[in-house]
Amino acid sequence: MTVGIYFATTTGKTEDIAERLHGLLGAAEAPKDISDVDDLSEFSGHDGIICGIPTWNTGADSERSGTAWDSILEDIGDLDLNGKKVAIFGLGDSSTYTENYCDAMEELHRYFQQAGASMVGYVSKSDYTFDESKSVVGEQFCGLPLDEDSESDMTDSRIASWADKLKQEIPGL
Ligand SMILES: Cc1cc2nc3c(=O)[nH]c(=O)nc-3n(C[C@H](O)[C@H](O)[C@H](O)COP(=O)(O)O)c2cc1C
């Protein structure tokens, strides 16, 4: 059983969280920048995949992360990831960008779902203050939203709870 952690970042915050999650999930492999991955078929070698994505392209209909994830979304959708557990975490700013909080998570979630992956790591929206997010499904976010700009004091407890949840939801952790 192997679990991979992948991220993309513009100012380093998503990478930092990937490293901190790796510290909490010792059984997962060391985080990799998705822009260093030449062949997405390496996803198939994992039983679980954890992906980190920031939101930058505020209000855009598509390609909302402004990172290397944007150019491979459709390729991800074309993979066969049946049987894989996939969890997403997102970086955003719930104060300045409260109408678009962590929007980019939704996009990654949609394409992994299209690939047949079993999506895990959903988080209740009740512990967050924001106006709108495309990443909300019903009462839950489709992954773990994190805000290092306005709520960094909450990050430690958020990632610790999420790591515990993933240990229940992803075999091999
Ligand atoms: C120009 C700009 C646009 C942003 N747009 C959004 C946004 O639409 N939604 C959001 O939640 N955060 C937005 N953010 C906040 C970033 O997502 C946040 O700073 C994040 O931690 C950056 O992660 P990174 O360092 O991994 O790139 C924006 C930040 C900037 C500077």
Side-chain angles (χ1 to χ4, degrees):
M1 293 278 183
T2 67
V3 178
I5 303 177
Y6 296 89
F7 65 90
T9 183
T10 295
T11 62
K13 290 174 186 152
T14 308
E15 178 172 11
D16 177 59
I17 297 296
E19 299 288 353
R20 288 160 70 181
L21 274 170
H22 181 237
L24 295 168
L25 299 169
E29 293 185 357
K32 270 191 174 178
D33 189 324
I34 194 66
S35 59
D36 294 333
V37 174
D38 295 326
D39 185 355
L40 288 181
S41 66
E42 83 170 59
F43 284 165
S44 307
H46 293 301
D47 305 285
I49 302 166
I50 300 167
C51 297
I53 184 166
T55 296
W56 281 82
N57 290 333
T58 314
D61 288 334
S62 61
E63 302 189 355
R64 293 190 294 256
S65 90
T67 68
W69 284 120
D70 293 345
S71 54
I72 59 167
L73 288 169
E74 293 190 1
D75 297 333
I76 291 172
D78 289 339
L79 297 170
D80 177 2
L81 297 176
N82 270 290
K84 312 288 181 196
K85 304 276 189 186
V86 175
I88 293 166
F89 64 95
L91 275 281
D93 180 343
S94 59
S95 173
T96 308
Y97 299 97
T98 190
E99 303 280 335
N100 295 92
Y101 183 44
C102 285
D103 275 355
M105 282 200 303
E106 179 277 330
E107 227 170 350
L108 207 45
H109 177 268
R110 180 155 36 93
Y111 283 96
F112 271 109
Q113 209 165 36
Q114 186 179 311
S118 169
M119 306 307 294
V120 299
Y122 289 20
V123 168
S124 168
K125 68 175 191 181
S126 62
D127 294 335
Y128 292 82
T129 305
F130 64 103
D131 283 342
E132 277 188 52
S133 173
K134 293 188 174 72
S135 300
V136 169
V137 183
E139 293 303 305
Q140 292 185 302
F141 281 102
C142 62
L144 173 71
L146 295 166
D147 181 350
E148 287 288 84
D149 296 283
S150 312
E151 296 181 333
S152 61
D153 54 322
M154 300 177 81
T155 298
D156 273 341
S157 65
R158 284 173 172 168
I159 61 175
S161 315
W162 201 57
D164 287 344
K165 181 176 168 64
L166 295 190
K167 285 176 187 170
Q168 307 296 317
E169 295 181 340
I170 302 181
L173 283 181

